[in-house]
Amino acid sequence: MSDPHLYGVLAEFATAEQLLAAVARARTETRHAVLEAYSPVPVEGLVEALGPRKADRIPFWMLLGAIAGGAGTFALEWYAAVWDYPINVGGRPTGSWPAFLPPAIEMAVLGAALFGVLAMLISNGLPRWHHPLFEVESFGRASNDRFFLLLRAIDPKFDPRRAREILQTLTPLTVREVRL
Amino acid sequence: MAAQMRSEAAAAPLMDEGETYTSITSNVSAITLHRRFGRLWLTGFTVALALALLLAFGVGWLLAMGVGIWGLNIPVAWSFAIADYVWWIAIGMGGTFISAALYLTRRDWRNSLNRYAETMTVFAVSVSGIFPILHLGRPWFFYWLFPYPDVMNVWPQWRSSLEWDFFAIIAYLLVSILYWYVGMIPDLATLRDRAPTLARARWYGFFALGWRGEARHWRRFETVSLLLAGLAVPLVFSVHSMVALDFSEGLVPGWHSTIFPPFFVAGALFSGFAMVLALGIPMRKAFHLEPYITERHLVNMAKMLLAVGLVVDYSYLSEIFTAFYSMDPYEVALAKNRFFGAYAWVFWSTILCNVVLIQLLWVPRVRANPRALVAISLGVLVGMWLERFMLIVTTLYRDFVPSSWGMFYPTFWDIAFLAGSMGLFFVLYLLFVRLVPVVSMFELRKMVRKRERELA
Amino acid sequence: MTQLFSSRFGFFLRLGLIAALGLAIIAVFAWRGVMAGPAALNEPLEQPVPFSHKHHVGDDGLDCRYCHSSVESSAFAGIPPLSTCMTCHSQLYTDQAALAPLVRAFESKIPLHWQRVHHLPDFVYFNHSIHIAKGVGCVTCHGKIDTMPLTARVAPLTMQWCLGCHRAPQRYLRPRDEVFNLHWQAKDQLATGARLLREYHIDTRRLTECSVCHR
Amino acid sequence: MSPLRPTPPPDSDAVGLQLDRRDFLQTMAASLALAGLTGCSHPPQEEIVPYVHAPLGQIDGLPRFFATALLRNGYAHGVLVENHMGRPTKIEGNPQHPASLGGTDIFAQAAVLQLWDPDRSQAVMRREDVTSWEAFGAELLKWSARFDQTHGAGLRVLTETITSPTLSSQLDALRRKYPQAHWHVHQPAGQEQALAGARLAFGEPVSSRLHLDRAKVILSLDADFLSDPAAGVRYARDYIAGRSPEHQGNTMARLYVVEATPSLTGAMADHRLPLQCAQIEIFARHLARRLGVANVVEDGLDARQTRWLDELTRDLQAHRGEALITVGPAQAPWVHALGHALNATLGNVGATIEYSNPVEALPGESGSLADLVGAMRAGSVDTLLVLGANPVYDAPADLQFAAALEKVPHLVHLGLYRDETGARAEWHLPQAHSLETWSDALAFDGTATIVQPLIAPLYEGRSAHELLAALLGESQQRGREIVRRHWQERLDDAAWAAALQTGVVPNTALPTRSPSLHGDALERALPPLQAAAALELLLRPDPTIDDGRWANNGWLQELPKPLTQLTWDNAALISPELAARMDLSNGDIVEIRLRERARRVPVWIMPGQAAGSITLHLGYGRRRAGRVGDGRGFDAYPLRTTGEPWCARDVQLAKTGDRYELAGTQHHFNMEGRDLLRTGTLAGYLRDPHFVTRADRYPGAPPSLYPDYPPGKYAWGMSIDLNACIGCKACTIACQAENNIPVVGKEQVRRGREMHWIRVDLYHEGPAENPRTHSQPVPCMMCEHAPCEVVCPVDATVHDSEGLNVQVYNRCVGTRFCSNNCPYKVRRFNFLQYVDKEADTLKAQRNPEVTVRRRGVMEKCTYCIQRIEAAHIEADKGSRRIRDGEVLTACQAVCPTQAIRFGDVADRQSAVAEAKASPRNYVMLGELNTRPRTSYLARLRNPNPALEEKT
């Protein structure tokens, strides 16, 4: 019965407060689980309002990056200077570990940064240059001064008509269907 | 001083009450999207481009002839190019510090400065990176500093501070680019959505990576920004310690000193802040950014400039003190040389710019006067370059063995490369102010949002 | 607002990036190939006279030192003067067309220009005599020369390759009197090598030092 | 094989002679293609070009050494020439030759570059047209036909000083054949005055031979015997032998020097008295009077000088028979005569000085250049044969030689270069280089050496022998036959071969004799006293380009003048007093006026210069020297006259206000109280042998954080004895020749970019009017804790197990941090492409055992690693140890006084270990804990206690 070409129903709001309220209502009234909220600024509490989600792994990935960069570099230095081609440089020991630290530190930082950004983009599903929402006329203001709530069609409890009715009650500026 | 700042921050608002999401968005993005190229911009760009071309030609000549086109010799085997390198990379530090350290300490006033400060960082670091490579006798082999499996089975020499610095520069450049770019994504999305033509929409849209401002995306975005800021701060400190070690690893009197790393960090902040002021104030005027970059911003910057300036002056003092306290004949001879030697004028000019001049900043009226601030900042920038020249040349030209003492005289190309590097920097910077928002829109919006909540 | 990019865009972009990466890697290897040297591995060079080691060594069984007379005493193994060739070829195959350039050169006293097969950069100072003295066989570097109708290089002659032996000579050493024997095989190379290492007083520590090959 | 053992020459015709030049250049192809580090493209395809017939006895790839002699002012300096595949590349002294004993002077080192100089004359020229020897031969036939009628009237031969027996016998033959022909000798910096002095004293010319090793007290009257053209190298060795307390039972010879302008000898003096040239004559008379030789009028010396004189006299009298008085070539004949008389009265003759018949061939009456010019003016010269000399450039100005040439129909010039004279000649004939010709020559003591060629003439050069043979119309005109025939009765084939191999003809030294003094003649000869003029001009041969003959030699031009460190130029040396008086500073141009002639030259303030003396060196301002030498510096010959060749009285000096940029390699001559170069007195040393290291902060080396690396098979180290170093800079140029060190040119030197791997530092100590001068050779210190290595990011400079601080050129990317971090500043950088990549002959000169460095690469002293490795390979082949002295570094081998010792410091028996064991041993900047392998032995002086406190 659900329309395969329907991506979801999108409601546009003027303020963050209205959006927050709408999110709350939508979840209580429809038991809707798959909602998405778009805003020009991060809105505190919005994520929690949208429902339970599994924690972000970004800090973990950055730690991993740091270890990979740092330990990796140090290991490489040790291998090169002690195992592969030991050379007497200025009478210093071949394994001059204090001198090996600086590059390791720099690479640790670099590794962490790279992993962090990648983790952020990937878990955000970015880059994604083509998206159904970009079809929507007014969605352009999501990056300016408008707030949007999207009820996704893939939600088992999704029913286009009902969704529209409820959203209408939330004093949105507009409500429209988003098609694939 | 920090306490004082906080109190003032509470007092006057950092942004006009009337500002809204819409106004911010349209005002700032208009600069990029709708503003015409002014005559000022065009002349500036032409000059910068000319200098950049001079640099390009110089590079060609250098590769054809060798570093001998500079005034280098034995004993003074380093000079302008290295001074330029240190000067530029130090300028970069100001940007990172303002945008990262102040972000961690939740200083909202940095929100109007961080974008162009970070940009300045990225370009300054890129420009600085040119010099260590060109400065090599055989620049085309610079990649030998990078550990890769080669048919010679030889590796870099990890004990050399130059090797450390090589990694430091790479890390610093990449991280600051990441930090800068990631922080720009939401604004790029804004430009994408407001672009007048399809072409420009695509252009910005490509770099916006399809940012839509979904709540969970914002959350992760914020997390990464915070953590990157947390990384950037120790990174810049380490980077400038490496730069310092490029010298202090040597045993030459005047270089062989443990004070160098903190000394260089302070110096870097000093010139960095100066550059932020010197760039920001004219830009603020040209683009009518007064609503966002208010007098308070300038005052705060001025105070920070004074603060680090005093730290720098302190390290001058302690250097001189330790020289005489050590009673090491070579150290003492060097110190005397700086005061009265052939390059004494460099030392005294440095003192004039970096010690005397900044004392004006104690005066509130001066702190509040944009023109004065620009003048002082330029003075500091000159002073910091001279300081690097002094550190390098007056150290090398007379070291241990009097028979090998010798003077350094710059050639045309020494000066051309310095001027050219400025040209290149300004070409990039002027393009930037035309292509991306010079003030971070979404961070200003956050301030509006904050106010809304305070009212609610 | 409208879609700025087709739904395929992302896919093709990623494809492009991967392709670029691949190209870069190929470029690097190509460049290394170019740097490797003028003559490719196992490919004979065009010589003024099609000299065959196979014939002279393999069939006639000439000793290496008959022509490469300074190999035991000098860095340079020695390329024979034309008079050496003429000791035989004033009688043998005098009418052969292939030998014409040789005879002409000998009579006109204008020497032949042989193309160098084994080339080392000028900053590398290889010395034949010490290698011979320490039991490194000809075949170890020059390959089965006695089977080559035209001479070709069989080893890359890179520093890495040199180090391969300098780091573990025992894997290649042979008794001095087998040095010129192209067919000698050790029963147990490692054991023999280790023994010879001691007998010939080879200072392995020094072998990997820059000063041994670079002046 | 020791690099210095001469290999027996095969049947001497085969000495590289089978190679005609074309083959030879082709033979080089293989090694030539190797020049320079590879750049960014793949290495070029190389060719190997074997011989058609191999030269006998040659082993491809191994250097060979041949004994021969090089000439300086006609005197033989025995050398061994290193020969790579038929290319002479390096010159070493011949240990068996009396004038060398293994060392050489700077000129011998530079000779190999002269051989390969692309500017050398390459073809027979008639006026401006290239022609051939055949054409000249035809012309010669016509002339000799004419001479046969006229008995040679109108034929004149002009040569430089000649010692060659073959050549002088040829000249005799010529005079026998053409009684009317005349032979003249012209040597710009010759020994005329000394010979004239001998004539005065003994009524006949004799050569004197000094035995400095036997003298305890030496007085030099303006005599720079350490740089004597004939025997300087040998004299230096002898002098130092007498100055080594360790080997002289804790005694040292004492040297007094009276001179007008500082010289190497003056710098070695225990007591040096700067006096104007004219005052030296007065001083000599006073000494003569005190020692009762000649009764001369008294004339005032000032108190200090008198005191000096008194103490000197006392010292001389106390050492009868072991004193020595030597007089310089610039002094008037009668001063020489006085010297002979003084030596006689002190009983030195036969002990510290000996006499023999003149070594050089004398042209006899009216054989001077002046006589020749007279004849030319008179129009009685119709054909002038100039062999090697260059009178148009270096004849005294008052002769106006060039003008006189107008009257000479046929001028024939045989010369290495088509120089000023060659350009004026009707016929210019390319002369073969000493390394290309057969000849013979005598050493200062008359010992004969057969000069043999190392290579066939590169160009169409021929020797004077061959030219004279042609003139004599002899059938055999090949150099070898001519020389061989001359020695026919003296040497059978075996002896000939032996003479060629050893480089000396045994027992040919001239017998010593004791000529009797003509005292009264001396009295009569003494001219009335002339008061010293306010200002006098001294003309001296240049320290590095001599009388101008070396002007086109880049090595010598760039070799810093020992006492000024100037390169590429000459300057008028003036005393600090004069400079102060006339407010002159270095580089100010002054006008020196001598009667009607004047020259504008820059000045250089010379500490120790006699107040009223201006020194100007001859040899610069060449007009036809070649691309290197043309227009360099300032020609001094216009100020030279036959009457006053060395010392012109009453000259005027005027400041012009113009300036000139001089290029020096050292700008600061004050040690600033740093203990880099340590000195002491003999007395102090005997009192406290360890005085040298008393003040050191750490006995031995400071402690280290790091464990030492296990010792290698050898521990290479060097010891430099500052007490033996005379600062002649032979080490610098020998190193340049051995290690392919490029010449950078004046502009680069001015920028401070000279490339010498071993420099000789110069420090003045004490009052500027008469300071003590010290020289210190500084090669790489080979620090065990090398600061340069730690800061190199690519392992381009690292240590090997035998303690060498190796520089791997091909790995160097050129950060130059190593140089900044080198406390001794011994590293040199190729700021530009300094090595000539074009000139083929220059490539041919280079040492194939040493990498040629390209632009952008750091380089430095390697302890001649190529020689170490060669010895290593030879020793390792036999599984034996390298013997002490088997490796000689280039600087060590050339050093006339053996001041440099090199070897295995771990081996207690080695010479270097023995030297380092001396209490005089110390290292430079030891407190930096760089642990140098190069150490120094402190310098000692042996002052006269009576004079010490007051000087």
Side-chain angles (χ1 to χ4, degrees), chain A residues 87-94, chain D residues 706 709 785 789-790 795 798-799:
Chain A
I87 297 179
N88 175 351
V89 173
R92 310 299 196 269
T94 47
Chain D
Y706 315 112
Y709 272 76
H785 292 178
E789 294 174 1
V790 184
D795 269 336
V798 299
H799 239 67

Side-chain angles (χ1 to χ4, degrees), chain D residues 220-489:
Chain D
S220 148
L221 293 170
D222 200 15
D224 183 7
F225 54 78
L226 290 179
S227 30
D228 179 272
V233 173
R234 170 59 180 271
Y235 285 169
R237 169 78 71 95
D238 290 351
Y239 170 68
I240 292 304
R243 295 277 294 184
S244 153
E246 286 83 355
H247 303 97
Q248 294 288 321
N250 292 338
T251 67
M252 278 171 70
R254 178 172 298 146
L255 173 62
Y256 296 82
V257 173
V258 184
E259 64 181 0
T261 186
S263 67
L264 288 183
T265 308
M268 295 301 288
D270 297 302
H271 295 291
R272 180 176 175 280
L273 183 63
L275 285 183
Q276 280 191 31
C277 202
Q279 288 173 310
I280 294 178
E281 300 179 353
I282 300 170
F283 185 92
R285 292 182 186 232
H286 280 278
L287 186 62
R289 186 166 169 289
R290 277 195 176 37
L291 293 172
V293 167
N295 182 16
V296 291
V297 288
E298 182 60 69
D299 172 276
L301 291 172
D302 70 34
R304 199 171 128 271
Q305 295 163 352
T306 319
R307 196 155 164 297
W308 208 89
L309 183 58
D310 298 338
E311 294 303 337
L312 166 66
T313 321
R314 225 171 269 123
D315 217 353
L316 286 172
Q317 279 161 329
H319 291 85
R320 295 183 166 278
E322 45 182 15
L324 172 60
I325 293 166
T326 158
V327 181
Q331 288 300 317
W334 61 266
V335 182
H336 285 272
L338 274 183
H340 294 306
L342 287 167
N343 278 318
T345 38
L346 288 169
N348 302 335
V349 180
T352 60
I353 181 169
E354 289 180 324
Y355 299 110
S356 73
N357 290 335
V359 175
E360 51 191 77
L362 301 174
E365 287 315 302
S366 71
S368 77
L369 182 65
D371 303 315
L372 171 62
V373 175
M376 286 159 71
R377 286 236 179 65
S380 56
V381 179
D382 137 282
T383 305
L384 173 57
L385 222 61
V386 177
L387 305 182
N390 183 13
V392 172
Y393 167 70
D394 58 23
D398 57 339
L399 291 180
Q400 294 176 336
F401 186 88
L405 269 182
E406 303 296 340
K407 293 226 173 72
V408 179
H410 306 296
L411 171 62
V412 181
H413 174 258
L414 176 76
L416 267 185
Y417 296 85
R418 188 158 182 259
D419 53 25
E420 291 81 350
T421 308
R424 287 292 307 272
E426 177 192 12
W427 289 89
H428 166 72
L429 311 169
Q431 183 176 24
H433 191 274
S434 310
L435 297 173
E436 296 172 331
T437 48
W438 285 96
S439 180
D440 49 13
L442 307 185
F444 71 103
D445 66 353
T447 304
T449 295
I450 307 294
V451 174
Q452 61 173 328
L454 272 289
I455 184 171
L458 295 176
Y459 315 114
E460 292 179 5
R462 296 197 187 170
S463 68
H465 301 298
E466 290 162 333
L467 179 57
L468 282 180
L471 186 57
L472 291 165
E474 288 168 357
S475 53
Q476 17 163 245
Q477 300 185 356
R478 285 288 304 284
R480 179 169 183 271
E481 285 79 358
I482 298 167
V483 179
R484 184 72 185 96
R485 185 188 46 189
H486 176 82
W487 290 91
Q488 202 63 55
E489 62 282 2

Side-chain angles (χ1 to χ4, degrees), chain A residues 15-162:
Chain A
T15 72
E17 277 61 31
Q18 288 173 338
L19 177 62
L20 282 164
V23 171
R25 279 287 299 289
R27 290 198 58 232
T28 44
E29 301 266 324
T30 65
R31 305 256 179 290
H32 229 289
V34 191
L35 317 91
E36 291 170 2
Y38 299 89
S39 57
V41 287
V43 176
E44 66 298 332
L46 189 54
V47 174
E48 292 70 12
L50 285 168
R53 50 186 274 281
K54 57 182 186 4
D56 287 327
R57 293 297 202 72
I58 288 173
F60 164 77
W61 283 109
M62 290 180 82
L63 178 66
L64 206 66
I67 293 171
T73 308
F74 191 90
L76 174 69
E77 293 175 284
W78 193 270
Y79 167 76
V82 179
W83 293 106
D84 188 45
Y85 209 145
I87 297 179
N88 175 351
V89 173
R92 310 299 196 269
T94 47
S96 329
W97 61 269
F100 296 169
L101 290 179
I105 293 166
E106 302 299 333
M107 288 301 105
V109 174
L110 181 58
L114 281 170
F115 274 52
V117 172
L118 285 177
M120 186 270 283
L121 290 176
I122 290 164
S123 46
N124 283 355
L126 298 177
R128 179 170 179 183
W129 286 280
H130 179 95
H131 194 282
L133 280 171
F134 292 152
E135 305 282 2
V136 181
E137 190 44 48
S138 60
F139 187 73
R141 293 183 73 169
S143 64
N144 175 1
D145 53 2
R146 290 296 164 80
F147 300 78
F148 294 84
L149 172 59
L150 174 71
L151 301 185
R152 290 287 304 279
I154 51 165
D155 190 293
K157 296 214 167 39
F158 180 75
D159 167 358
R161 217 173 337 96
R162 178 121 175 71

